[in-house]
Structures are given as C-alpha cells and as structure tokens.
C-alpha cells in the first residue's frame, strides 16, 4: 500500500494539464462537464488516499491496535514513516473539511443575501431591475420552490439597445437553466482537496460563459447581435461599482476573457476558440486517452491500496486471535 497510496496525490500533475488542453478543443458544454468531472474524480481519489494514509498510521498506534485486536508486528510498514504521514493526512483532511463547510456556507449566505436584496425591487417574470446607475447584469440562482432571476441594473438597460438586451437576458437565462453556478461550486469544493485542481476553475468559468454565449446566440438567432451585446455590456460595466452589489458566487456575461468570447461568436459556428493550438481528431483522442488513463490509474491505485490495507488488517487480526 505504501507505494500505491501516493499515486492519487501525484496524478493531478499530469491529469490537470491534459484536462485543460482537451477542454480547449471541445464544445463549451462538453468542456464544462469534462473539467467538472475531472475535478470531482481527482478530488475523490485524493481524499481516499489521505484517508488510507490516516487509517494505516492510526492502526500502528498501540491503543488503536488493541481496540481492533491487531498484531502490531504483522501490520507491516515503518511506524517512523506511517505515523507522521497519518498525522499530516489527518491535518489535511480536517483542514479540507473545514474549508468545504466554509465555502459552501459562504456560497449559501451570499445567495440568500442577494435574494433578500432583490425582493425589495420590482420583477417582471424572471427579470428583476435594480435602480443602480452602474451597468451590471447577472444570473441569480433560485432555490427549491423559487425560480432563479435575471438581475439587471437600470444603468445596463440604458447602455444597450432592445435587441442586445434580449441577447444579454438570454445569456443569463442560459446560466440559470444550466445551473452553471453548481459547476463552479463543485469545482471550488474539489479544489480544496488538492491545490493543483484550482487551475481548472478559470477554464471552467470560460467554458460556462461560452456555453451561455452559444445558447443565447441560438435563442436570438443572431450571433453578431449576441457578440455586440456581450462586448457592449462588458465595456459599460464598471467592476468596482458592480462588486458592491453583485454576489461573488454568481455568473455574469461581463466577466472572463470577453474579447475571446466575442471573437468566438463572430467566427464561423463550431470553429474552435483557439486556432493557434487547434488539436486534430487524432491529437484529441490521444489527450483523452491520456486523461482517462490518469484518472483510471489514480482510482485503481486507491482501490489497490485499500484492498492491501484490508488484507493486512485481516492477517493481523487473525494472528492476534491465535
């Protein structure tokens, strides 16, 4: 187990760059699912590996071994290594659990505060208009029994002509329909488990914005109008003023690499967003195979380590009974 248990902790070194590269050559929706799924899988394997390290080291402690009726000499491994490793794993797991709870609670509190703030303003269907002069618009997720809202300021309504307003609203409605905030929240919680997973957030946020861009373009039937709406809204928005009333956990059309998104909308439909690093079909298959191998190897190593630990415990228990 001592070797296999470290593999899930090291595999993100290879899997994360592969996932980022593969996502660049996929349609936005597929890229978002790929990045989120990869983050969850790698975070799960990392957590399992830390749990196994903690268990293996804890079993080396005489009180724990006596409680489980284990024979210490048959547990194997060097206690000089396994016990400190267990302590480090316990610290990381504890800190990670606290960070997950804090991050989830902050997400919930920010959305609740934003919903309470919008309740005081008039709504028309799913559209809520805030009387702020600073141009801004964002998708405010709902909760069970209450649908989400497209929140827009009076300043943003004045900044856009009617057709571009509809494109902007369609973009924000795409975020709500796809529940895109859950993708970002899932990736943020996964990143708590391994620091390398944090680098998946930026490409994931870009993929989600591009997903909403394409949905909006299909909805209004004009990619150029959609591109103009996003570009004009981003130019009109003032981040400092918007941050004063926009929750940090929501998605907005004016965030992210807007010039790249506008260029993608103005390019022929389905053309890759990154022509200089376009990956052919064969290259995509190789990267996908490498990524799948990384995730599978990580999961298999965690399972192998768990099976090895289980077998060792059974042997130690059997000898102790004798």
């Amino acid at each position: 187990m001592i070797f296999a248990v470290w593999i899930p902790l090291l595999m993100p070194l290879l899997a994360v760059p592969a996932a980022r590269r593969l996502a660049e050559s996929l349609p936005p929706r597929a890229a978002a699912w790929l990045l989120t799924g990869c983050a969850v899988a790698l975070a799960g394997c990392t957590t399992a590996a830390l749990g196994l390290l903690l268990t293996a080291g804890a079993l080396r402690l005489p009180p724990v071994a006596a409680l489980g009726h284990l024979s210490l000499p048959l547990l194997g491994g060097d206690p000089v290594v396994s016990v400190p490793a267990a302590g480090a794993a316990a610290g990381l797991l504890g800190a990670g659990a606290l960070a997950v709870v804090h991050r989830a609670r902050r997400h919930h509190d920010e959305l609740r505060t934003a919903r309470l703030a919008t309740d005081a303003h008039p709504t028309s269907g799913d559209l809520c208009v805030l009387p702020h002069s600073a141009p801004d618009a964002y998708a405010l997720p709902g909760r069970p029994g209450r649908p989400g809202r497209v929140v827009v300021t009076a300043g943003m309504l004045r900044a856009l002509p009617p057709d571009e307003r509809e494109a902007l609203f369609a973009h924000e409605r795409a975020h709500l329909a796809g529940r895109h905030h859950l993708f970002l929240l899932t990736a943020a919680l996964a990143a708590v488990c391994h620091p390398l997973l944090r680098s998946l957030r930026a490409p994931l946020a870009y993929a989600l914005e591009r997903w909403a861009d394409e949905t909006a373009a299909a909805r209004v039937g004009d990619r150029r109008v959609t591109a103009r709406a996003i570009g004009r809204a981003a130019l009109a928005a003032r981040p400092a003023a918007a941050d004063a009333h926009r929750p940090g956990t929501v998605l907005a059309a004016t965030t992210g690499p807007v010039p790249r998104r506008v260029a993608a909308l103005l390019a022929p439909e389905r053309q890759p967003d990154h022509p200089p690093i376009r990956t052919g079909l064969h290259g995509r298959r190789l990267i996908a195979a490498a990524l799948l191998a990384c995730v599978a190897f990580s999961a298999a190593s965690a399972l192998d380590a768990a099976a090895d630990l289980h077998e060792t415990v059974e042997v130690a228990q059997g000898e102790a009974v004798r």
Side-chain angles (χ1 to χ4, degrees), residues 154-319:
M156 183 62 79
L157 293 178
R158 288 192 295 266
L160 301 180
D163 57 344
E164 294 179 12
R165 289 181 202 164
E166 291 304 316
L168 183 66
F169 297 160
H171 175 101
E172 304 302 348
R173 289 183 178 117
H175 283 317
L176 295 175
R179 302 186 69 79
H180 291 172
H181 68 289
L182 295 182
F183 285 78
L184 284 181
L185 177 61
T186 300
L189 297 181
V192 170
C193 302
H194 200 295
L196 288 178
L197 298 181
R198 296 174 186 171
S199 63
L200 293 179
R201 189 190 186 285
L204 174 59
Y206 175 74
L208 292 173
E209 292 299 339
R210 285 284 298 117
W211 181 354
D213 290 344
E214 292 297 333
T215 302
R219 180 68 180 269
V220 301
D222 194 324
R223 298 175 67 84
R224 290 188 173 276
V225 169
T226 306
R228 287 200 306 270
I230 292 169
R232 199 189 305 272
L235 290 173
R238 296 192 294 273
D243 291 343
H245 59 82
R246 182 202 298 168
T249 55
V250 301
L251 290 134
T254 57
T255 59
V258 173
R260 283 170 55 193
R261 292 165 50 203
V262 170
L265 282 169
L266 295 178
E269 192 172 0
R270 301 184 183 277
Q271 180 173 321
D273 295 348
H274 308 274
I277 56 174
R278 184 183 304 177
T279 305
L281 179 60
H282 182 65
R284 289 198 299 271
R285 287 176 176 173
L286 288 178
I287 297 173
L291 177 60
L292 181 61
C294 288
V295 175
F297 191 41
S298 182
S301 298
L303 290 174
D304 180 63
D308 185 48
L309 179 61
H310 178 70
E311 182 179 353
T312 301
V313 169
E314 284 189 333
V315 172
Q317 283 179 331
E319 186 64 23

Side-chain angles (χ1 to χ4, degrees), residues 40 106 116 292 308:
V40 170
R106 187 179 71 178
L116 290 175
L292 181 61
D308 185 48

Side-chain angles (χ1 to χ4, degrees), residues 18 48 67 74 82 87 109 116 126 138 143 281 290 295 322:
L67 185 64
L74 293 178
S82 59
D109 290 344
L116 290 175
D126 64 349
Y138 55 89
R143 60 173 183 262
L281 179 60
V295 175
R322 293 180 187 178

Side-chain angles (χ1 to χ4, degrees), residues 113-127:
T113 300
R115 292 182 187 119
L116 290 175
T118 59
D119 286 342
H121 300 286
T123 60
S124 176
D126 64 349
L127 186 64

